[in-house]
Amino acid sequence: MTYAIVETSGTQLRVEPGRFYDVDRLALDVDDQVTLDRVLFVSNDGESVVGQPVVEGATVVGSVVSHLRGRKVIVYKMQPKKKTRKKQGHRQELTRVMINSIEMNGKVIAGESAPAQADAPAKAAVEAEAES
């Protein structure tokens, strides 16, 4: 299983290709490509690369799915014995990003147009038997 840990908008996320994640609002339109280049860690089938602080040449490519708002958070401040109460709500503006691929030095290691998986020779053997 291939995954990466990226830093975006002040938070760190563990991302995998084919999944979507909610990050703080990005100034992009829906279906635009987004490239996250602050990759802190990459794990590719047991091989790990740790950045110091970022992994050189590693990028995560995704696309913007939608813009939405997060759950409402209530902020309630009260000073006892002073008859002071303040109630305020907040909804964070978010962008939903679908992760398409993880790249190392310009080569896709996971996701769209990734190299054939380890079971590709097995599929070739099954196809060869079917032709016989």
PDB file of all heavy atoms in Angstrom, residues 74-106:
ATOM      1  N   ILE A  74     -20.005  25.912  17.844  1.00  0.00           N
ATOM      2  CA  ILE A  74     -20.558  26.966  18.682  1.00  0.00           C
ATOM      3  C   ILE A  74     -19.490  27.437  19.662  1.00  0.00           C
ATOM      4  O   ILE A  74     -18.878  26.633  20.368  1.00  0.00           O
ATOM      5  CB  ILE A  74     -21.790  26.467  19.473  1.00  0.00           C
ATOM      6  CG1 ILE A  74     -22.858  25.937  18.527  1.00  0.00           C
ATOM      7  CG2 ILE A  74     -22.339  27.555  20.367  1.00  0.00           C
ATOM      8  CD1 ILE A  74     -23.427  26.971  17.597  1.00  0.00           C
ATOM      9  N   VAL A  75     -19.267  28.747  19.693  1.00  0.00           N
ATOM     10  CA  VAL A  75     -18.338  29.362  20.641  1.00  0.00           C
ATOM     11  C   VAL A  75     -19.184  30.142  21.635  1.00  0.00           C
ATOM     12  O   VAL A  75     -19.879  31.084  21.260  1.00  0.00           O
ATOM     13  CB  VAL A  75     -17.344  30.294  19.923  1.00  0.00           C
ATOM     14  CG1 VAL A  75     -16.406  30.934  20.920  1.00  0.00           C
ATOM     15  CG2 VAL A  75     -16.592  29.549  18.854  1.00  0.00           C
ATOM     16  N   TYR A  76     -19.155  29.735  22.897  1.00  0.00           N
ATOM     17  CA  TYR A  76     -19.988  30.364  23.923  1.00  0.00           C
ATOM     18  C   TYR A  76     -19.085  30.890  25.030  1.00  0.00           C
ATOM     19  O   TYR A  76     -18.342  30.138  25.648  1.00  0.00           O
ATOM     20  CB  TYR A  76     -20.982  29.348  24.492  1.00  0.00           C
ATOM     21  CG  TYR A  76     -22.003  29.955  25.420  1.00  0.00           C
ATOM     22  CD1 TYR A  76     -23.048  30.704  24.928  1.00  0.00           C
ATOM     23  CD2 TYR A  76     -21.909  29.784  26.800  1.00  0.00           C
ATOM     24  CE1 TYR A  76     -23.998  31.274  25.772  1.00  0.00           C
ATOM     25  CE2 TYR A  76     -22.840  30.333  27.655  1.00  0.00           C
ATOM     26  CZ  TYR A  76     -23.883  31.079  27.132  1.00  0.00           C
ATOM     27  OH  TYR A  76     -24.812  31.640  27.961  1.00  0.00           O
ATOM     28  N   LYS A  77     -19.145  32.194  25.233  1.00  0.00           N
ATOM     29  CA  LYS A  77     -18.344  32.824  26.273  1.00  0.00           C
ATOM     30  C   LYS A  77     -19.278  33.431  27.306  1.00  0.00           C
ATOM     31  O   LYS A  77     -20.260  34.086  26.956  1.00  0.00           O
ATOM     32  CB  LYS A  77     -17.451  33.905  25.686  1.00  0.00           C
ATOM     33  CG  LYS A  77     -16.425  33.370  24.715  1.00  0.00           C
ATOM     34  CD  LYS A  77     -15.565  34.463  24.172  1.00  0.00           C
ATOM     35  CE  LYS A  77     -14.573  33.893  23.191  1.00  0.00           C
ATOM     36  NZ  LYS A  77     -13.731  34.940  22.622  1.00  0.00           N
ATOM     37  N   MET A  78     -18.936  33.207  28.581  1.00  0.00           N
ATOM     38  CA  MET A  78     -19.786  33.710  29.650  1.00  0.00           C
ATOM     39  C   MET A  78     -18.907  34.155  30.816  1.00  0.00           C
ATOM     40  O   MET A  78     -17.939  33.494  31.158  1.00  0.00           O
ATOM     41  CB  MET A  78     -20.721  32.593  30.119  1.00  0.00           C
ATOM     42  CG  MET A  78     -21.648  33.015  31.233  1.00  0.00           C
ATOM     43  SD  MET A  78     -22.608  31.651  31.869  1.00  0.00           S
ATOM     44  CE  MET A  78     -21.606  31.185  33.248  1.00  0.00           C
ATOM     45  N   GLN A  79     -19.259  35.296  31.384  1.00  0.00           N
ATOM     46  CA  GLN A  79     -18.587  35.739  32.591  1.00  0.00           C
ATOM     47  C   GLN A  79     -19.590  35.635  33.723  1.00  0.00           C
ATOM     48  O   GLN A  79     -20.606  36.352  33.723  1.00  0.00           O
ATOM     49  CB  GLN A  79     -18.087  37.177  32.445  1.00  0.00           C
ATOM     50  CG  GLN A  79     -16.972  37.305  31.440  1.00  0.00           C
ATOM     51  CD  GLN A  79     -16.498  38.738  31.320  1.00  0.00           C
ATOM     52  OE1 GLN A  79     -17.136  39.660  31.823  1.00  0.00           O
ATOM     53  NE2 GLN A  79     -15.379  38.921  30.648  1.00  0.00           N
ATOM     54  N   PRO A  80     -19.342  34.769  34.669  1.00  0.00           N
ATOM     55  CA  PRO A  80     -20.316  34.597  35.749  1.00  0.00           C
ATOM     56  C   PRO A  80     -20.451  35.877  36.588  1.00  0.00           C
ATOM     57  O   PRO A  80     -19.501  36.626  36.764  1.00  0.00           O
ATOM     58  CB  PRO A  80     -19.737  33.450  36.570  1.00  0.00           C
ATOM     59  CG  PRO A  80     -18.306  33.364  36.196  1.00  0.00           C
ATOM     60  CD  PRO A  80     -18.175  33.892  34.820  1.00  0.00           C
ATOM     61  N   LYS A  81     -21.654  36.098  37.072  1.00  0.00           N
ATOM     62  CA  LYS A  81     -22.005  37.210  37.959  1.00  0.00           C
ATOM     63  C   LYS A  81     -21.905  38.571  37.276  1.00  0.00           C
ATOM     64  O   LYS A  81     -21.984  39.590  37.937  1.00  0.00           O
ATOM     65  CB  LYS A  81     -21.129  37.205  39.218  1.00  0.00           C
ATOM     66  CG  LYS A  81     -21.230  35.916  40.009  1.00  0.00           C
ATOM     67  CD  LYS A  81     -20.301  35.945  41.193  1.00  0.00           C
ATOM     68  CE  LYS A  81     -20.283  34.589  41.852  1.00  0.00           C
ATOM     69  NZ  LYS A  81     -19.265  34.481  42.865  1.00  0.00           N
ATOM     70  N   LYS A  82     -21.711  38.616  35.971  1.00  0.00           N
ATOM     71  CA  LYS A  82     -21.598  39.894  35.275  1.00  0.00           C
ATOM     72  C   LYS A  82     -22.717  40.065  34.243  1.00  0.00           C
ATOM     73  O   LYS A  82     -22.746  41.066  33.547  1.00  0.00           O
ATOM     74  CB  LYS A  82     -20.260  39.989  34.539  1.00  0.00           C
ATOM     75  CG  LYS A  82     -19.050  39.831  35.420  1.00  0.00           C
ATOM     76  CD  LYS A  82     -18.664  41.162  36.014  1.00  0.00           C
ATOM     77  CE  LYS A  82     -17.281  41.083  36.610  1.00  0.00           C
ATOM     78  NZ  LYS A  82     -17.262  41.021  38.052  1.00  0.00           N
ATOM     79  N   LYS A  83     -23.553  39.058  34.085  1.00  0.00           N
ATOM     80  CA  LYS A  83     -24.637  39.069  33.105  1.00  0.00           C
ATOM     81  C   LYS A  83     -24.116  39.295  31.690  1.00  0.00           C
ATOM     82  O   LYS A  83     -24.721  40.015  30.891  1.00  0.00           O
ATOM     83  CB  LYS A  83     -25.679  40.134  33.453  1.00  0.00           C
ATOM     84  CG  LYS A  83     -26.424  39.841  34.721  1.00  0.00           C
ATOM     85  CD  LYS A  83     -27.526  40.843  34.935  1.00  0.00           C
ATOM     86  CE  LYS A  83     -28.237  40.546  36.241  1.00  0.00           C
ATOM     87  NZ  LYS A  83     -29.274  41.523  36.531  1.00  0.00           N
ATOM     88  N   THR A  84     -22.948  38.711  31.401  1.00  0.00           N
ATOM     89  CA  THR A  84     -22.343  38.819  30.075  1.00  0.00           C
ATOM     90  C   THR A  84     -22.320  37.448  29.426  1.00  0.00           C
ATOM     91  O   THR A  84     -21.724  36.517  29.968  1.00  0.00           O
ATOM     92  CB  THR A  84     -20.905  39.356  30.176  1.00  0.00           C
ATOM     93  OG1 THR A  84     -20.934  40.605  30.860  1.00  0.00           O
ATOM     94  CG2 THR A  84     -20.287  39.523  28.824  1.00  0.00           C
ATOM     95  N   ARG A  85     -23.005  37.355  28.300  1.00  0.00           N
ATOM     96  CA  ARG A  85     -23.014  36.118  27.549  1.00  0.00           C
ATOM     97  C   ARG A  85     -22.806  36.455  26.076  1.00  0.00           C
ATOM     98  O   ARG A  85     -23.350  37.427  25.569  1.00  0.00           O
ATOM     99  CB  ARG A  85     -24.343  35.367  27.696  1.00  0.00           C
ATOM    100  CG  ARG A  85     -24.428  34.540  28.955  1.00  0.00           C
ATOM    101  CD  ARG A  85     -25.687  34.910  29.721  1.00  0.00           C
ATOM    102  NE  ARG A  85     -25.929  34.144  30.927  1.00  0.00           N
ATOM    103  CZ  ARG A  85     -25.381  34.388  32.090  1.00  0.00           C
ATOM    104  NH1 ARG A  85     -24.460  35.313  32.192  1.00  0.00           N
ATOM    105  NH2 ARG A  85     -25.721  33.705  33.146  1.00  0.00           N
ATOM    106  N   LYS A  86     -22.026  35.601  25.400  1.00  0.00           N
ATOM    107  CA  LYS A  86     -21.764  35.821  23.987  1.00  0.00           C
ATOM    108  C   LYS A  86     -21.772  34.477  23.289  1.00  0.00           C
ATOM    109  O   LYS A  86     -20.984  33.593  23.630  1.00  0.00           O
ATOM    110  CB  LYS A  86     -20.408  36.492  23.819  1.00  0.00           C
ATOM    111  CG  LYS A  86     -20.070  36.896  22.413  1.00  0.00           C
ATOM    112  CD  LYS A  86     -18.673  37.477  22.398  1.00  0.00           C
ATOM    113  CE  LYS A  86     -18.578  38.630  21.442  1.00  0.00           C
ATOM    114  NZ  LYS A  86     -17.244  39.191  21.390  1.00  0.00           N
ATOM    115  N   LYS A  87     -22.691  34.298  22.359  1.00  0.00           N
ATOM    116  CA  LYS A  87     -22.796  33.050  21.620  1.00  0.00           C
ATOM    117  C   LYS A  87     -22.512  33.334  20.147  1.00  0.00           C
ATOM    118  O   LYS A  87     -23.117  34.229  19.556  1.00  0.00           O
ATOM    119  CB  LYS A  87     -24.195  32.452  21.773  1.00  0.00           C
ATOM    120  CG  LYS A  87     -24.357  31.114  21.090  1.00  0.00           C
ATOM    121  CD  LYS A  87     -25.729  30.555  21.359  1.00  0.00           C
ATOM    122  CE  LYS A  87     -25.908  29.223  20.679  1.00  0.00           C
ATOM    123  NZ  LYS A  87     -27.230  28.657  20.913  1.00  0.00           N
ATOM    124  N   GLN A  88     -21.584  32.580  19.582  1.00  0.00           N
ATOM    125  CA  GLN A  88     -21.180  32.810  18.204  1.00  0.00           C
ATOM    126  C   GLN A  88     -20.948  31.459  17.535  1.00  0.00           C
ATOM    127  O   GLN A  88     -20.410  30.540  18.146  1.00  0.00           O
ATOM    128  CB  GLN A  88     -19.906  33.652  18.171  1.00  0.00           C
ATOM    129  CG  GLN A  88     -19.441  34.018  16.794  1.00  0.00           C
ATOM    130  CD  GLN A  88     -18.224  34.918  16.846  1.00  0.00           C
ATOM    131  OE1 GLN A  88     -17.674  35.179  17.903  1.00  0.00           O
ATOM    132  NE2 GLN A  88     -17.811  35.380  15.693  1.00  0.00           N
ATOM    133  N   GLY A  89     -21.354  31.343  16.289  1.00  0.00           N
ATOM    134  CA  GLY A  89     -21.142  30.112  15.528  1.00  0.00           C
ATOM    135  C   GLY A  89     -20.106  30.323  14.440  1.00  0.00           C
ATOM    136  O   GLY A  89     -19.851  31.452  14.006  1.00  0.00           O
ATOM    137  N   HIS A  90     -19.498  29.216  14.003  1.00  0.00           N
ATOM    138  CA  HIS A  90     -18.488  29.284  12.946  1.00  0.00           C
ATOM    139  C   HIS A  90     -18.585  28.035  12.083  1.00  0.00           C
ATOM    140  O   HIS A  90     -18.712  26.925  12.594  1.00  0.00           O
ATOM    141  CB  HIS A  90     -17.085  29.386  13.553  1.00  0.00           C
ATOM    142  CG  HIS A  90     -16.005  29.319  12.526  1.00  0.00           C
ATOM    143  ND1 HIS A  90     -15.698  30.377  11.717  1.00  0.00           N
ATOM    144  CD2 HIS A  90     -15.181  28.317  12.157  1.00  0.00           C
ATOM    145  CE1 HIS A  90     -14.724  30.031  10.902  1.00  0.00           C
ATOM    146  NE2 HIS A  90     -14.390  28.777  11.152  1.00  0.00           N
ATOM    147  N   ARG A  91     -18.539  28.211  10.758  1.00  0.00           N
ATOM    148  CA  ARG A  91     -18.468  27.103   9.817  1.00  0.00           C
ATOM    149  C   ARG A  91     -17.270  27.335   8.918  1.00  0.00           C
ATOM    150  O   ARG A  91     -17.184  28.351   8.237  1.00  0.00           O
ATOM    151  CB  ARG A  91     -19.742  26.996   8.978  1.00  0.00           C
ATOM    152  CG  ARG A  91     -20.931  26.575   9.816  1.00  0.00           C
ATOM    153  CD  ARG A  91     -22.137  26.362   8.973  1.00  0.00           C
ATOM    154  NE  ARG A  91     -21.977  25.149   8.171  1.00  0.00           N
ATOM    155  CZ  ARG A  91     -22.876  24.743   7.289  1.00  0.00           C
ATOM    156  NH1 ARG A  91     -23.960  25.433   7.078  1.00  0.00           N
ATOM    157  NH2 ARG A  91     -22.676  23.637   6.606  1.00  0.00           N
ATOM    158  N   GLN A  92     -16.343  26.385   8.926  1.00  0.00           N
ATOM    159  CA  GLN A  92     -15.115  26.518   8.151  1.00  0.00           C
ATOM    160  C   GLN A  92     -15.390  26.266   6.668  1.00  0.00           C
ATOM    161  O   GLN A  92     -16.096  25.327   6.313  1.00  0.00           O
ATOM    162  CB  GLN A  92     -14.072  25.524   8.662  1.00  0.00           C
ATOM    163  CG  GLN A  92     -12.709  25.667   8.038  1.00  0.00           C
ATOM    164  CD  GLN A  92     -12.012  26.941   8.429  1.00  0.00           C
ATOM    165  OE1 GLN A  92     -12.210  27.446   9.532  1.00  0.00           O
ATOM    166  NE2 GLN A  92     -11.199  27.466   7.548  1.00  0.00           N
ATOM    167  N   GLU A  93     -14.824  27.099   5.815  1.00  0.00           N
ATOM    168  CA  GLU A  93     -14.920  26.903   4.368  1.00  0.00           C
ATOM    169  C   GLU A  93     -13.900  25.841   3.961  1.00  0.00           C
ATOM    170  O   GLU A  93     -12.716  25.964   4.265  1.00  0.00           O
ATOM    171  CB  GLU A  93     -14.619  28.216   3.635  1.00  0.00           C
ATOM    172  CG  GLU A  93     -15.546  29.348   3.991  1.00  0.00           C
ATOM    173  CD  GLU A  93     -16.920  29.181   3.369  1.00  0.00           C
ATOM    174  OE1 GLU A  93     -17.026  28.574   2.285  1.00  0.00           O
ATOM    175  OE2 GLU A  93     -17.890  29.656   3.981  1.00  0.00           O
ATOM    176  N   LEU A  94     -14.351  24.787   3.274  1.00  0.00           N
ATOM    177  CA  LEU A  94     -13.503  23.657   2.932  1.00  0.00           C
ATOM    178  C   LEU A  94     -13.509  23.395   1.434  1.00  0.00           C
ATOM    179  O   LEU A  94     -14.428  23.792   0.720  1.00  0.00           O
ATOM    180  CB  LEU A  94     -13.979  22.391   3.657  1.00  0.00           C
ATOM    181  CG  LEU A  94     -14.012  22.443   5.181  1.00  0.00           C
ATOM    182  CD1 LEU A  94     -14.663  21.184   5.725  1.00  0.00           C
ATOM    183  CD2 LEU A  94     -12.619  22.609   5.739  1.00  0.00           C
ATOM    184  N   THR A  95     -12.478  22.693   0.976  1.00  0.00           N
ATOM    185  CA  THR A  95     -12.391  22.207  -0.394  1.00  0.00           C
ATOM    186  C   THR A  95     -12.161  20.712  -0.334  1.00  0.00           C
ATOM    187  O   THR A  95     -11.269  20.246   0.376  1.00  0.00           O
ATOM    188  CB  THR A  95     -11.230  22.880  -1.153  1.00  0.00           C
ATOM    189  OG1 THR A  95     -11.479  24.277  -1.210  1.00  0.00           O
ATOM    190  CG2 THR A  95     -11.102  22.330  -2.557  1.00  0.00           C
ATOM    191  N   ARG A  96     -12.970  19.949  -1.069  1.00  0.00           N
ATOM    192  CA  ARG A  96     -12.809  18.491  -1.130  1.00  0.00           C
ATOM    193  C   ARG A  96     -11.892  18.174  -2.302  1.00  0.00           C
ATOM    194  O   ARG A  96     -12.173  18.524  -3.447  1.00  0.00           O
ATOM    195  CB  ARG A  96     -14.162  17.820  -1.289  1.00  0.00           C
ATOM    196  CG  ARG A  96     -14.060  16.313  -1.282  1.00  0.00           C
ATOM    197  CD  ARG A  96     -15.373  15.698  -0.945  1.00  0.00           C
ATOM    198  NE  ARG A  96     -15.605  15.862   0.494  1.00  0.00           N
ATOM    199  CZ  ARG A  96     -16.704  15.490   1.117  1.00  0.00           C
ATOM    200  NH1 ARG A  96     -17.701  14.957   0.440  1.00  0.00           N
ATOM    201  NH2 ARG A  96     -16.839  15.651   2.412  1.00  0.00           N
ATOM    202  N   VAL A  97     -10.764  17.491  -2.003  1.00  0.00           N
ATOM    203  CA  VAL A  97      -9.748  17.180  -3.010  1.00  0.00           C
ATOM    204  C   VAL A  97      -9.649  15.662  -3.163  1.00  0.00           C
ATOM    205  O   VAL A  97      -9.488  14.940  -2.176  1.00  0.00           O
ATOM    206  CB  VAL A  97      -8.369  17.755  -2.594  1.00  0.00           C
ATOM    207  CG1 VAL A  97      -7.298  17.361  -3.578  1.00  0.00           C
ATOM    208  CG2 VAL A  97      -8.441  19.256  -2.447  1.00  0.00           C
ATOM    209  N   MET A  98      -9.757  15.181  -4.421  1.00  0.00           N
ATOM    210  CA  MET A  98      -9.564  13.766  -4.732  1.00  0.00           C
ATOM    211  C   MET A  98      -8.108  13.567  -5.120  1.00  0.00           C
ATOM    212  O   MET A  98      -7.599  14.246  -6.014  1.00  0.00           O
ATOM    213  CB  MET A  98     -10.474  13.339  -5.889  1.00  0.00           C
ATOM    214  CG  MET A  98     -10.197  11.954  -6.407  1.00  0.00           C
ATOM    215  SD  MET A  98     -10.601  10.667  -5.233  1.00  0.00           S
ATOM    216  CE  MET A  98     -12.341  10.529  -5.505  1.00  0.00           C
ATOM    217  N   ILE A  99      -7.425  12.643  -4.453  1.00  0.00           N
ATOM    218  CA  ILE A  99      -6.019  12.383  -4.731  1.00  0.00           C
ATOM    219  C   ILE A  99      -5.934  11.443  -5.931  1.00  0.00           C
ATOM    220  O   ILE A  99      -6.480  10.335  -5.903  1.00  0.00           O
ATOM    221  CB  ILE A  99      -5.307  11.773  -3.508  1.00  0.00           C
ATOM    222  CG1 ILE A  99      -5.442  12.707  -2.306  1.00  0.00           C
ATOM    223  CG2 ILE A  99      -3.847  11.479  -3.818  1.00  0.00           C
ATOM    224  CD1 ILE A  99      -4.849  14.078  -2.499  1.00  0.00           C
ATOM    225  N   ASN A 100      -5.236  11.876  -6.987  1.00  0.00           N
ATOM    226  CA  ASN A 100      -5.114  11.081  -8.204  1.00  0.00           C
ATOM    227  C   ASN A 100      -3.850  10.227  -8.206  1.00  0.00           C
ATOM    228  O   ASN A 100      -3.898   9.051  -8.580  1.00  0.00           O
ATOM    229  CB  ASN A 100      -5.123  11.973  -9.439  1.00  0.00           C
ATOM    230  CG  ASN A 100      -6.431  12.716  -9.567  1.00  0.00           C
ATOM    231  OD1 ASN A 100      -7.475  12.235  -9.155  1.00  0.00           O
ATOM    232  ND2 ASN A 100      -6.383  13.902 -10.139  1.00  0.00           N
ATOM    233  N   SER A 101      -2.711  10.803  -7.830  1.00  0.00           N
ATOM    234  CA  SER A 101      -1.469  10.040  -7.898  1.00  0.00           C
ATOM    235  C   SER A 101      -0.414  10.620  -6.955  1.00  0.00           C
ATOM    236  O   SER A 101      -0.495  11.768  -6.531  1.00  0.00           O
ATOM    237  CB  SER A 101      -0.916  10.037  -9.328  1.00  0.00           C
ATOM    238  OG  SER A 101      -0.589  11.346  -9.721  1.00  0.00           O
ATOM    239  N   ILE A 102       0.562   9.769  -6.650  1.00  0.00           N
ATOM    240  CA  ILE A 102       1.739  10.159  -5.875  1.00  0.00           C
ATOM    241  C   ILE A 102       2.933   9.983  -6.801  1.00  0.00           C
ATOM    242  O   ILE A 102       3.118   8.911  -7.387  1.00  0.00           O
ATOM    243  CB  ILE A 102       1.890   9.297  -4.611  1.00  0.00           C
ATOM    244  CG1 ILE A 102       0.672   9.463  -3.706  1.00  0.00           C
ATOM    245  CG2 ILE A 102       3.171   9.658  -3.868  1.00  0.00           C
ATOM    246  CD1 ILE A 102       0.656   8.538  -2.510  1.00  0.00           C
ATOM    247  N   GLU A 103       3.751  11.025  -6.921  1.00  0.00           N
ATOM    248  CA  GLU A 103       4.880  11.004  -7.849  1.00  0.00           C
ATOM    249  C   GLU A 103       6.189  11.207  -7.105  1.00  0.00           C
ATOM    250  O   GLU A 103       6.253  11.970  -6.151  1.00  0.00           O
ATOM    251  CB  GLU A 103       4.720  12.096  -8.902  1.00  0.00           C
ATOM    252  CG  GLU A 103       3.467  11.981  -9.731  1.00  0.00           C
ATOM    253  CD  GLU A 103       3.304  13.116 -10.720  1.00  0.00           C
ATOM    254  OE1 GLU A 103       4.189  14.003 -10.767  1.00  0.00           O
ATOM    255  OE2 GLU A 103       2.296  13.130 -11.437  1.00  0.00           O
ATOM    256  N   MET A 104       7.212  10.503  -7.585  1.00  0.00           N
ATOM    257  CA  MET A 104       8.578  10.676  -7.068  1.00  0.00           C
ATOM    258  C   MET A 104       9.482  10.967  -8.254  1.00  0.00           C
ATOM    259  O   MET A 104       9.591  10.143  -9.169  1.00  0.00           O
ATOM    260  CB  MET A 104       9.069   9.419  -6.356  1.00  0.00           C
ATOM    261  CG  MET A 104       8.431   9.172  -5.022  1.00  0.00           C
ATOM    262  SD  MET A 104       9.147  10.117  -3.703  1.00  0.00           S
ATOM    263  CE  MET A 104      10.733   9.386  -3.558  1.00  0.00           C
ATOM    264  N   ASN A 105      10.137  12.138  -8.266  1.00  0.00           N
ATOM    265  CA  ASN A 105      11.047  12.550  -9.330  1.00  0.00           C
ATOM    266  C   ASN A 105      10.396  12.465 -10.705  1.00  0.00           C
ATOM    267  O   ASN A 105      10.991  11.984 -11.668  1.00  0.00           O
ATOM    268  CB  ASN A 105      12.328  11.713  -9.289  1.00  0.00           C
ATOM    269  CG  ASN A 105      13.066  11.881  -7.980  1.00  0.00           C
ATOM    270  OD1 ASN A 105      13.131  12.984  -7.447  1.00  0.00           O
ATOM    271  ND2 ASN A 105      13.605  10.807  -7.449  1.00  0.00           N
ATOM    272  N   GLY A 106       9.142  12.873 -10.813  1.00  0.00           N
ATOM    273  CA  GLY A 106       8.435  12.878 -12.085  1.00  0.00           C
ATOM    274  C   GLY A 106       7.862  11.543 -12.508  1.00  0.00           C
ATOM    275  O   GLY A 106       7.215  11.445 -13.537  1.00  0.00           O
TER     276      GLY A 106
END
